[in-house]
Amino acid sequence: TILDCVASARLGGSCDSNEDGDKENNGDEADANSSSAPYRLFTTGHSLGAANSVLLGATLHLTHPGVEIRSINFGCPKVGNKEWSFWADSLQP
């Protein structure tokens, strides 16, 4: 999942399988790290990338409600309708 990838990256790993075949060790370290500190994910973009960032942030919020998700965007076109806007605004801290 995306959170496993983030946990691996925090430990200096990557999202790809371990080249040395030592995948079990990376998984144990990632599990230990994820239980000790909460995740904070940031999405960002400009223009069309900003619109994608908003949608990704909303999707991550719905699939991982316990994780703090922040979207920082520039030059974002309108995304969604009026109901979407009210819902997205309700997520603001």
Side-chain angles (χ1 to χ4, degrees):
T1 66
I2 187 76
L3 295 179
D4 293 333
C5 180
V6 170
S8 177
R10 292 176 88 191
L11 297 171
S14 69
C15 295
D16 299 328
S17 61
N18 193 344
E19 296 168 1
D20 298 333
D22 193 12
K23 189 172 184 174
E24 294 175 11
N25 189 22
N26 269 348
D28 292 342
E29 289 176 12
D31 290 342
N33 191 31
S34 66
S35 64
S36 64
Y39 290 108
R40 286 181 41 186
L41 294 177
F42 292 86
T43 65
T44 187
H46 175 264
S47 192
L48 180 58
N52 287 332
S53 171
V54 169
L55 296 173
L56 175 62
T59 301
L60 290 172
H61 171 75
L62 292 173
T63 56
H64 303 286
V67 177
E68 180 181 344
I69 311 287
R70 299 283 175 132
S71 290
I72 302 171
N73 302 300
F74 305 93
C76 186
K78 291 184 180 180
V79 177
N81 58 15
K82 194 176 207 177
E83 289 80 17
W84 166 272
S85 173
F86 290 142
W87 177 76
D89 287 345
S90 74
L91 301 178
Q92 297 294 324

